[in-house]
Amino acid sequence: MEVLIFSDAQSLACKSADLVESQIKAFPDSVIGLATGSTPLGLYKELILRHQRNGLSFEKAKTFNLDEYVGIPASHPQSYRTFMDEHLFNKINIDQSNTQVPDGMSENPLKVGPAYEKMIEEAGGIDLQVLGVGTDGHIGFNEPTSSLGSITRVKTLTQQTIEDNSRFFNSDEFQPKLAITMGIKTILDARRILLLAHGENKADAVRDMIEGPLAAFCPASALQLHQRTTILIDKAAASKLALKGYYKFVGEMQDELLRKHRPSDWISR
Ligand code: GLP
């Protein structure tokens, strides 16, 4: 794992946008996995700015979102489809038919997962997956104890996740307790992964993800198995890490190596 620690959320957003931009520029038809939540909002704002100001084009890109709630329509203000339309898709030149979010209103939600996996496979697999992390260490909606070999399927949300996300729903409104999520294996199959986290409330999950044992109890720790994952975090989210100084040192040594030898080959494919 490459661990990059930033002084503030804005520089973290810019760096993550640099990485996504490099991917799209190198391979305009890249397949990008996307996340919802407050964490990637800075990244999405940056990508929109770069599209508007510098003509960064998403015309040929394809996207697959990690997850969607079961039981609310795509048009619901809190659906992840609405989130993506509002915060990214409607503001860039992506072809809406190239954007996929699991169908949370399917008559049979149990059939959605296998079909979603097939679509990802037919698109050639995910080149770059963007992730956030839940306070309980979930990625997508893979809650603690999710199988590390799981694929896209229906998951029951934990009480902690339901509470974390209750801020988006009115108290008298139906709040989903089930979601369809890419599995941990689906995520690990991505050729490149960027996980973003900021804020003190993520410090425990970030510590368990990077320095804890590989365990289904912290699903994000599965990223320890992935060859090309970059963790971008701010100081608050990094505050409980034991080896902060080492990660900085690794970055310096890496920069020196790349200066001497060849440019970063982080782009996937
Ligand atoms: C939700 C999403 C996750 C996201 C998490 C964290 O549960 N399913 O993909 O990473 O929230 O959200 P936030 O970024 O708002 O803290």
Side-chain angles (χ1 to χ4, degrees), residues 36-40 66-67 80 132-134 138 140-141 161 165 167 202:
T36 53
S38 48
T39 309
L66 279 168
D67 47 14
Y80 283 174
V133 62
H138 72 225
F141 268 131
T161 299
N165 291 349
R167 65 190 194 277
K202 299 291 171 71

mmCIF file of all heavy atoms in Angstrom, residues 36-40 66-67 80 132-134 138 140-141 161 165 167 202, ligand 1:
data_model
loop_
_atom_site.group_PDB
_atom_site.id
_atom_site.type_symbol
_atom_site.label_atom_id
_atom_site.label_comp_id
_atom_site.label_asym_id
_atom_site.label_seq_id
_atom_site.Cartn_x
_atom_site.Cartn_y
_atom_site.Cartn_z
ATOM 1 N N THR A 36 -19.734 6.941 -3.564
ATOM 2 C CA THR A 36 -20.554 8.068 -3.097
ATOM 3 C C THR A 36 -20.063 8.457 -1.705
ATOM 4 O O THR A 36 -19.015 8.003 -1.259
ATOM 5 C CB THR A 36 -22.036 7.674 -3.067
ATOM 6 O OG1 THR A 36 -22.134 6.458 -2.303
ATOM 7 C CG2 THR A 36 -22.581 7.456 -4.466
ATOM 8 N N GLY A 37 -20.842 9.300 -1.021
ATOM 9 C CA GLY A 37 -20.450 9.752 0.321
ATOM 10 C C GLY A 37 -19.806 11.126 0.231
ATOM 11 O O GLY A 37 -19.519 11.633 -0.862
ATOM 12 N N SER A 38 -19.565 11.730 1.381
ATOM 13 C CA SER A 38 -19.011 13.088 1.382
ATOM 14 C C SER A 38 -17.537 13.106 0.985
ATOM 15 O O SER A 38 -17.042 14.094 0.449
ATOM 16 C CB SER A 38 -19.193 13.728 2.764
ATOM 17 O OG SER A 38 -18.760 12.815 3.748
ATOM 18 N N THR A 39 -16.836 11.998 1.189
ATOM 19 C CA THR A 39 -15.389 11.983 0.954
ATOM 20 C C THR A 39 -14.982 12.298 -0.491
ATOM 21 O O THR A 39 -14.099 13.133 -0.693
ATOM 22 C CB THR A 39 -14.793 10.627 1.396
ATOM 23 O OG1 THR A 39 -15.232 10.369 2.724
ATOM 24 C CG2 THR A 39 -13.278 10.646 1.347
ATOM 25 N N PRO A 40 -15.586 11.656 -1.509
ATOM 26 C CA PRO A 40 -15.103 11.949 -2.868
ATOM 27 C C PRO A 40 -15.628 13.255 -3.463
ATOM 28 O O PRO A 40 -15.306 13.575 -4.606
ATOM 29 C CB PRO A 40 -15.595 10.737 -3.679
ATOM 30 C CG PRO A 40 -16.733 10.177 -2.926
ATOM 31 C CD PRO A 40 -16.583 10.568 -1.501
ATOM 32 N N LEU A 66 -20.038 1.719 -6.937
ATOM 33 C CA LEU A 66 -19.854 0.630 -5.990
ATOM 34 C C LEU A 66 -21.154 0.012 -5.514
ATOM 35 O O LEU A 66 -21.247 -1.194 -5.321
ATOM 36 C CB LEU A 66 -19.174 1.177 -4.726
ATOM 37 C CG LEU A 66 -17.686 1.377 -4.721
ATOM 38 C CD1 LEU A 66 -17.289 2.182 -3.495
ATOM 39 C CD2 LEU A 66 -16.980 0.027 -4.711
ATOM 40 N N ASP A 67 -22.144 0.900 -5.254
ATOM 41 C CA ASP A 67 -23.296 0.393 -4.504
ATOM 42 C C ASP A 67 -24.538 1.248 -4.693
ATOM 43 O O ASP A 67 -24.469 2.344 -5.242
ATOM 44 C CB ASP A 67 -22.940 0.273 -3.008
ATOM 45 C CG ASP A 67 -22.251 1.518 -2.472
ATOM 46 O OD1 ASP A 67 -22.267 2.561 -3.150
ATOM 47 O OD2 ASP A 67 -21.693 1.459 -1.364
ATOM 48 N N TYR A 80 -28.119 6.689 -4.731
ATOM 49 C CA TYR A 80 -26.747 6.951 -5.163
ATOM 50 C C TYR A 80 -26.691 7.351 -6.635
ATOM 51 O O TYR A 80 -25.764 8.022 -7.059
ATOM 52 C CB TYR A 80 -25.868 5.733 -4.858
ATOM 53 C CG TYR A 80 -25.503 5.648 -3.379
ATOM 54 C CD1 TYR A 80 -24.825 4.558 -2.869
ATOM 55 C CD2 TYR A 80 -25.823 6.678 -2.494
ATOM 56 C CE1 TYR A 80 -24.473 4.487 -1.521
ATOM 57 C CE2 TYR A 80 -25.484 6.616 -1.153
ATOM 58 C CZ TYR A 80 -24.813 5.518 -0.669
ATOM 59 O OH TYR A 80 -24.461 5.465 0.664
ATOM 60 N N GLY A 132 -14.155 5.249 -0.698
ATOM 61 C CA GLY A 132 -14.093 5.893 0.606
ATOM 62 C C GLY A 132 -14.041 4.762 1.622
ATOM 63 O O GLY A 132 -13.916 3.590 1.253
ATOM 64 N N VAL A 133 -14.151 5.093 2.891
ATOM 65 C CA VAL A 133 -14.207 4.039 3.911
ATOM 66 C C VAL A 133 -15.227 4.449 4.971
ATOM 67 O O VAL A 133 -15.323 5.636 5.317
ATOM 68 C CB VAL A 133 -12.799 3.770 4.520
ATOM 69 C CG1 VAL A 133 -12.222 4.977 5.238
ATOM 70 C CG2 VAL A 133 -12.805 2.545 5.438
ATOM 71 N N GLY A 134 -16.009 3.492 5.436
ATOM 72 C CA GLY A 134 -16.981 3.783 6.495
ATOM 73 C C GLY A 134 -16.286 3.822 7.856
ATOM 74 O O GLY A 134 -15.159 3.324 7.997
ATOM 75 N N HIS A 138 -15.985 -0.313 6.475
ATOM 76 C CA HIS A 138 -16.553 -0.891 5.250
ATOM 77 C C HIS A 138 -16.047 -0.178 3.999
ATOM 78 O O HIS A 138 -15.698 1.003 4.034
ATOM 79 C CB HIS A 138 -18.089 -0.958 5.285
ATOM 80 C CG HIS A 138 -18.815 0.346 5.162
ATOM 81 N ND1 HIS A 138 -19.872 0.686 5.966
ATOM 82 C CD2 HIS A 138 -18.662 1.387 4.323
ATOM 83 C CE1 HIS A 138 -20.340 1.865 5.618
ATOM 84 N NE2 HIS A 138 -19.622 2.313 4.630
ATOM 85 N N GLY A 140 -17.413 0.194 -0.118
ATOM 86 C CA GLY A 140 -18.716 -0.029 -0.738
ATOM 87 C C GLY A 140 -19.673 -0.159 0.431
ATOM 88 O O GLY A 140 -19.649 0.640 1.360
ATOM 89 N N PHE A 141 -20.504 -1.201 0.405
ATOM 90 C CA PHE A 141 -21.314 -1.499 1.600
ATOM 91 C C PHE A 141 -20.924 -2.870 2.135
ATOM 92 O O PHE A 141 -21.743 -3.604 2.674
ATOM 93 C CB PHE A 141 -22.808 -1.422 1.289
ATOM 94 C CG PHE A 141 -23.408 -0.064 1.542
ATOM 95 C CD1 PHE A 141 -24.210 0.549 0.587
ATOM 96 C CD2 PHE A 141 -23.201 0.613 2.738
ATOM 97 C CE1 PHE A 141 -24.783 1.792 0.811
ATOM 98 C CE2 PHE A 141 -23.768 1.855 2.976
ATOM 99 C CZ PHE A 141 -24.553 2.449 2.010
ATOM 100 N N THR A 161 -23.737 1.921 10.353
ATOM 101 C CA THR A 161 -23.850 2.534 9.018
ATOM 102 C C THR A 161 -25.215 3.203 8.860
ATOM 103 O O THR A 161 -25.318 4.310 8.321
ATOM 104 C CB THR A 161 -23.650 1.457 7.921
ATOM 105 O OG1 THR A 161 -22.337 0.921 8.079
ATOM 106 C CG2 THR A 161 -23.813 2.024 6.535
ATOM 107 N N ASN A 165 -25.594 7.181 8.162
ATOM 108 C CA ASN A 165 -26.239 7.698 6.955
ATOM 109 C C ASN A 165 -27.637 8.271 7.214
ATOM 110 O O ASN A 165 -28.267 8.789 6.300
ATOM 111 C CB ASN A 165 -26.311 6.599 5.883
ATOM 112 C CG ASN A 165 -24.918 6.262 5.354
ATOM 113 O OD1 ASN A 165 -23.953 6.973 5.635
ATOM 114 N ND2 ASN A 165 -24.801 5.195 4.601
ATOM 115 N N ARG A 167 -28.325 10.895 8.648
ATOM 116 C CA ARG A 167 -28.323 12.347 8.486
ATOM 117 C C ARG A 167 -28.876 12.784 7.125
ATOM 118 O O ARG A 167 -29.283 13.929 6.963
ATOM 119 C CB ARG A 167 -26.914 12.909 8.706
ATOM 120 C CG ARG A 167 -25.863 12.485 7.691
ATOM 121 C CD ARG A 167 -24.470 12.918 8.172
ATOM 122 N NE ARG A 167 -23.426 12.846 7.150
ATOM 123 C CZ ARG A 167 -22.754 11.738 6.823
ATOM 124 N NH1 ARG A 167 -23.037 10.597 7.443
ATOM 125 N NH2 ARG A 167 -21.804 11.778 5.907
ATOM 126 N N LYS A 202 -12.563 8.973 10.942
ATOM 127 C CA LYS A 202 -12.092 7.849 10.126
ATOM 128 C C LYS A 202 -10.773 7.272 10.653
ATOM 129 O O LYS A 202 -10.248 6.308 10.092
ATOM 130 C CB LYS A 202 -11.910 8.283 8.663
ATOM 131 C CG LYS A 202 -13.185 8.760 7.986
ATOM 132 C CD LYS A 202 -14.172 7.634 7.770
ATOM 133 C CE LYS A 202 -15.522 8.095 7.294
ATOM 134 N NZ LYS A 202 -15.548 8.578 5.929
HETATM 135 C C1 GLP B 1 -21.348 4.920 2.428
HETATM 136 C C2 GLP B 1 -20.869 4.356 1.091
HETATM 137 C C3 GLP B 1 -19.370 4.138 1.097
HETATM 138 C C4 GLP B 1 -18.675 5.352 1.653
HETATM 139 C C5 GLP B 1 -19.106 5.574 3.078
HETATM 140 C C6 GLP B 1 -18.402 6.728 3.755
HETATM 141 O O1 GLP B 1 -21.651 3.960 3.342
HETATM 142 N N1 GLP B 1 -21.509 3.147 0.761
HETATM 143 O O2 GLP B 1 -18.937 3.861 -0.227
HETATM 144 O O3 GLP B 1 -17.272 5.179 1.591
HETATM 145 O O4 GLP B 1 -20.492 5.835 3.043
HETATM 146 O O5 GLP B 1 -19.109 7.906 3.558
HETATM 147 P P1 GLP B 1 -18.532 9.351 3.834
HETATM 148 O O6 GLP B 1 -17.551 9.589 2.725
HETATM 149 O O7 GLP B 1 -19.713 10.257 3.731
HETATM 150 O O8 GLP B 1 -17.908 9.332 5.159
#
